[in-house]
Amino acid sequence: MVQKYQSPVRVYKHPFELVMAAYERRFPTCHLIPMFVASDVVDEETSEDGATHKIERRCALDVDAPRLLKRIAGVDYVYFIQRNTLNRKERTLHIESHNETFSNRVIIHETCCYSVHPDNEDWTCFEQTASLDIKSFFGFESTVEKIAMKQYASSIKKGKEIIEFYLKELEDEGITHVPRWSPSALPQLLPRPSSLSASAPALPKPAAAPAASVPPAADARDGAAHDAKQDGGALPADGQSETSAGTPDDKLDADYIKRYLGDLTPLQESCLIRLRQWLQETHKGKIPKDEHILRFLRARDFNMDRAREILCQSLTWRKQHQVDYLLETWTSPQVLQDFYTGGWHHHDRDGRPLYILRLGQMDTKGLVRALGEESLLRHVLSINEEGLRRCEENTKVFGRPISCWTCLVDLEGLNMRHLWRPGVKALLRIIEVVEANYPETLGRLLILRAPRVFPVLWTLVSPFIDENTRKKFLIYAGNDYQGPGGLLDYIDKEIIPDFLGGECMCEVPEGGLVPKSMYRTAEELENEDVRLWTETIYQSASIFKGAPHELLIQIIDASSVITWDFDVCKGDVVFNIYHSKRAPQPPRKDPLGTHGIASPGGNNVQLIDKSWTLGQDYSMVESPLTCKEGESVQGSHITRWPGFYILQWKFHSMPACSATNLPRVDDVLATLQVSSHKCKVMYYTEVLGSEDFRTACCDVQSLGSMTSLESSHSGFSQLSAATTSSNQSQSSSMISR
């Protein structure tokens, strides 16, 4: 497996020329990097005007690896080739390095760039990317990978200190300014690397050994690349709604990460940046805020593949149920305002928003009977959305990252009536939804005055709570919360609620029994539950190999506009649009039994009869569009003729190799990941008149971007990328991803 690293942008508040002077002091060796043994200049050239200087070095690293591993590999040092291109005129330094030792077993590649900050010409930016691919290493592939990643992370962290050390050294020598390049003269303070290497220790003779990987080698890049204060790395953030001040080109800045997201290790920063970049490439529009992405990464211990999977599922859920607009559209029924014993109350000692829930005083049975499970769930979701908003607000107020809240649960009054089966069922479902879509939002849970019946409730609930979340629970029986290690350790005395012995008035409702006159019948609740969760403009469909999903749209007036917005939730699909003058037969649904799969909610409809011939009975009006798992696709088609249009989502079969007619290995592996050859899409379509379409386009263009017409309903997946247009099969269309 290829390990990749992408740094945020590291900003040095020093001019480019001064940073370059500091950078060159790291050669031929650097005492701050003990593993960097020596370097020799292999090749060097300078342009006639002195603006461009290219140098190639061969660097030796003494990798910190077990002696046994070194003996097996047959080497004492690992060698890297580093090529630097300094453009004094453009004020850039590009660094490219790769391993020479064991290059047939391990591939290590790194690129770095120093450049001038786009908003301040007296500042310097540094960015870095690297990859490690261990093909084979005498059976020690896993060990070598761990050593490499550990030493690389350590080296990245040290990089910042090294450049700053030499900048301070220059300052102590009275060098605080290096003149910029001009055609008439070369800078005097930039030492020529060749002169430095003249006095450099000779590189150790490489052992005539097999080529293998440089575990820590990633550091290798003569450490030079490292130095660059690896903190920095960049990523385009087209869809990022918030950009930190001073971040060039909307790239993630290391200082921004520390200020708004917290202290992350270099590899954690890389995971965040790479997942953010993937979302930008696949969603190309409004993407989650960095704090939200980071929560999903933390929930899966920064395993990017697992975090991406649950994040995509959550984004689809948010889009389908319009959760992004919940705070604006949801109004709690009066019965909740009167009898739901929970509310926000100041903040804890760490600045986290504090939510108080007097569960023991809550009539759970009455609320479920009066409102139904879905209303309670939606109310809890609105609480979580408000919690996210308060975390952002507190981050600004306290000047440090606050990404979660504290919940205080008072169980006084809890008894067997709270174990009413439908109420427990509703609670478990709420926990399940919140765990899946709001990970790492609970910083601490304080459970006070737990009665004897609590262990029974805990036994029922705890299996549904993530292990990391359970570690945040603090449980106090009786009045234990008033003693050492109790409530005062987490909440200031001034804001302890009055019902817990404090002096602060708490506006959380006291609850009580819900009047039975407010109870509703099971039929009424069932109908309302369906209505609540069918308030979505999206439909879902399952797609199988040999069984596409097709949607019929009848067009009466030519020049009408068919618009679509769909997400590929699982697998890869091919999207087609066909036209026919005659109506297809009534749609037939795939029984799914032939695929051995039960489909709880996804339908599968096929319209095109197998006897139809393409080009005679129906025609293709758009080129096929291949869509990858996780992508959001929006677009429109301006019809040329009346008749019947069929939108088709088809299973994407892997292409075969042209020479052998066999599938590629990567495609086979990708196909195996799609169980039972099943794909899933969530889609929305609408037909507009041409005048309505032009009006909508003008409205969008006046905002400076071209989007699909329903992007305002798309939640996290809404797009703002420019829509591309094409003319095919005598039709005009616009498609954007």
Side-chain angles (χ1 to χ4, degrees), residues 160-219:
K160 169 186 175 182
E161 303 172 7
I162 296 172
I163 286 291
E164 291 179 342
F165 172 84
Y166 286 116
L167 285 170
K168 181 66 167 58
E169 189 175 81
L170 286 169
E171 182 182 353
D172 293 342
E173 295 174 8
I175 302 173
T176 57
H177 174 73
V178 177
R180 295 185 186 180
W181 175 88
S182 65
S184 58
L186 293 178
Q188 299 299 314
L189 286 174
L190 284 177
R192 292 175 61 85
S194 55
S195 64
L196 287 174
S197 62
S199 59
L203 278 178
K205 298 283 185 185
S213 151
V214 150
D219 278 57

Side-chain angles (χ1 to χ4, degrees), residues 58 70 73-79 101-102 204-211:
R58 187 167 184 262
K70 286 187 175 183
V75 296
D76 292 322
Y77 300 103
V78 171
Y79 293 86
T101 308
F102 302 128
K205 298 283 185 185

Side-chain angles (χ1 to χ4, degrees), residues 335 339 363-368 370 511-519:
V335 65
F339 295 98
D363 181 9
T364 53
K365 179 178 180 179
L367 289 174
V368 172
L513 296 176
V514 178
K516 292 187 177 181
S517 59
M518 294 185 174
Y519 286 13

Side-chain angles (χ1 to χ4, degrees), residues 145 151 419 432 492:
E145 181 178 292
Q151 293 201 6
L419 299 181
E432 183 180 11
D492 289 332

Side-chain angles (χ1 to χ4, degrees), residues 107 125 127 138 357 571 579 585 596 610 641:
I107 300 174
C125 295
E127 306 174 40
F138 314 110
L357 180 64
H579 172 264
Q585 293 298 315
K610 294 186 182 297
W641 315 280

Side-chain angles (χ1 to χ4, degrees), residues 377-424:
L377 173 59
R378 187 163 289 201
H379 183 64
V380 173
L381 295 182
S382 70
I383 293 171
N384 280 271
E385 291 296 307
E386 173 65 15
L388 296 177
R389 188 193 67 78
R390 287 175 178 259
C391 284
E392 287 185 37
E393 193 174 90
N394 285 18
T395 295
K396 298 173 184 176
V397 170
F398 293 97
R400 61 177 181 273
I402 295 173
S403 60
C404 53
W405 52 83
T406 292
C407 185
L408 186 156
V409 180
D410 179 20
L411 296 183
E412 185 183 48
L414 189 77
N415 54 43
M416 293 302 294
R417 68 184 172 86
H418 288 91
L419 299 181
W420 180 58
R421 188 176 182 83
V424 173

